[in-house]
Amino acid sequence: FTAFYKPTHMLINIRFFIYISASFSLLIFGLLLMPGCQSASPPETGLRSETDTLLNAGNIWKFDSIIAANYNQLKWNETFVAIPNERLDNKSVTRKGLQLIFELENGDTLCRTNDTSVTESKVNYQYCTKLSNINHWLILGYYYEWSQYEIVNCSTGKRTQVMGYPSFSPDGKYMVCGSLDESSEGINGIEFWRLKGTSLQLLLSRELTKWGPNRLAWAGSDTLIIERYFMLNSKPGFVKVGMPSK
């Protein structure tokens, strides 16, 4: 009897231990799922909207609302500047018929040729000015239903499209280009560039849907003031944004 009883008793104990262990595991799992027992959620670190923050490659541009009257004394730059009368630099920039001709410092010649057809390929190139601080020319192309600024390296002829009329920081380290277009036919957005001599490094290029930059002003070498218009109500607002530290 003793030899038969002990194994049976041991088997019951093992089954009871397994049952208790499984029940305890289910209880712990259930407690973890209860809202009151969950740990607090970490603070949100993502972008709330394009109206207050832009992010690219680890750099953050945070837009803080400001009172415009505090910055009336600043020099404001329009993001779009029409040049009614083209003034050519006859030494290096000339026009011959439909061609806008650039004599490059390396001895080569660059031509931008107008297309006068009434099609989507239509374009009229207009010379704006020389950006001496970065040794580039600025031209404006009027296309079929939109316009586009372009800068041309005076030495190499390399062409770079930019969103708007460039605005330079006082220390010459940054260039910002913006475009306000409520028609949805052209470009509406903003770009931030870092400058190193004549080289350009694009830090951020973002097309916007909720607002567009109308005017830009610098309140120091690393602080930009933007007059922006919101698309839904065409209501202006003013924000300041700091340049990235890296």
Side-chain angles (χ1 to χ4, degrees), residues 78-140:
E78 304 288 336
T79 55
F80 179 84
V81 179
I83 311 296
N85 298 312
E86 187 178 58
R87 297 181 179 180
L88 301 174
D89 177 4
N90 292 324
K91 292 182 179 180
S92 53
V93 184
T94 57
R95 182 174 291 282
K96 184 178 181 181
L98 299 178
Q99 289 186 326
L100 188 59
I101 304 171
F102 299 90
E103 300 295 336
L104 305 179
E105 294 173 357
N106 63 8
D108 293 337
T109 299
L110 173 70
C111 297
R112 302 298 277 153
T113 304
N114 294 346
D115 184 337
T116 58
S117 64
V118 189
T119 64
E120 292 187 356
S121 63
K122 178 181 179 180
V123 60
N124 178 34
Y125 292 108
Q126 184 181 58
Y127 176 74
C128 297
T129 187
K130 182 176 181 179
L131 306 172
S132 299
N133 58 321
I134 58 172
N135 200 37
H136 280 67
W137 292 296
L138 177 68
I139 64 176
L140 176 60

Side-chain angles (χ1 to χ4, degrees), residues 4-246:
F4 175 79
Y5 172 80
K6 288 184 177 180
T8 304
H9 182 68
M10 185 180 297
L11 181 60
I12 293 175
N13 287 340
I14 292 173
R15 289 178 177 175
F16 180 77
F17 177 79
I18 295 174
Y19 174 79
I20 292 299
S21 299
S23 300
F24 182 78
S25 299
L26 289 174
L27 176 61
I28 296 299
F29 182 74
L31 290 174
L32 292 175
L33 293 179
M34 292 177 64
C37 297
Q38 291 182 356
S39 59
S41 298
E44 182 181 357
T45 58
L47 304 182
R48 292 192 295 273
S49 71
E50 68 178 35
T51 60
D52 55 35
T53 313
L54 297 178
L55 174 68
N56 185 57
N59 291 319
I60 298 176
W61 286 264
K62 189 177 186 302
F63 301 103
D64 296 316
S65 297
I66 59 172
I67 300 174
N70 295 340
Y71 298 91
N72 285 338
Q73 74 281 7
L74 298 179
K75 181 181 178 181
W76 288 90
N77 300 315
E78 304 288 336
T79 55
F80 179 84
V81 179
I83 311 296
N85 298 312
E86 187 178 58
R87 297 181 179 180
L88 301 174
D89 177 4
N90 292 324
K91 292 182 179 180
S92 53
V93 184
T94 57
R95 182 174 291 282
K96 184 178 181 181
L98 299 178
Q99 289 186 326
L100 188 59
I101 304 171
F102 299 90
E103 300 295 336
L104 305 179
E105 294 173 357
N106 63 8
D108 293 337
T109 299
L110 173 70
C111 297
R112 302 298 277 153
T113 304
N114 294 346
D115 184 337
T116 58
S117 64
V118 189
T119 64
E120 292 187 356
S121 63
K122 178 181 179 180
V123 60
N124 178 34
Y125 292 108
Q126 184 181 58
Y127 176 74
C128 297
T129 187
K130 182 176 181 179
L131 306 172
S132 299
N133 58 321
I134 58 172
N135 200 37
H136 280 67
W137 292 296
L138 177 68
I139 64 176
L140 176 60
Y142 289 97
Y143 294 86
Y144 189 68
E145 292 182 333
W146 73 94
S147 59
Q148 175 77 63
Y149 283 99
E150 185 176 279
I151 56 176
V152 180
N153 188 300
C154 298
S155 178
T156 65
K158 180 181 178 180
R159 298 180 288 110
T160 304
Q161 289 187 334
V162 294
M163 284 190 177
Y165 201 97
S167 179
F168 297 96
S169 62
D171 61 2
K173 292 182 179 179
Y174 296 99
M175 177 178 76
V176 179
C177 304
S179 177
L180 171 64
D181 190 299
E182 300 180 85
S183 67
S184 299
E185 295 178 349
I187 298 175
N188 185 80
I190 193 166
E191 290 176 336
F192 295 86
W193 299 78
R194 179 178 281 124
L195 308 176
K196 294 182 179 180
T198 60
S199 64
L200 311 173
Q201 178 189 1
L202 181 61
L203 299 176
L204 171 73
S205 179
R206 177 74 176 269
E207 289 196 43
L208 305 167
T209 58
K210 297 180 180 180
W211 64 275
N214 184 45
R215 294 192 300 164
L216 307 174
W218 291 90
S221 295
D222 59 357
T223 303
L224 179 71
I225 310 299
I226 305 173
E227 179 192 51
R228 61 182 182 179
Y229 275 79
F230 288 89
M231 298 307 175
L232 294 179
N233 53 18
S234 296
K235 182 180 179 181
F238 293 83
V239 293
K240 67 177 180 179
V241 57
M243 296 298 102
S245 57
K246 61 179 181 177

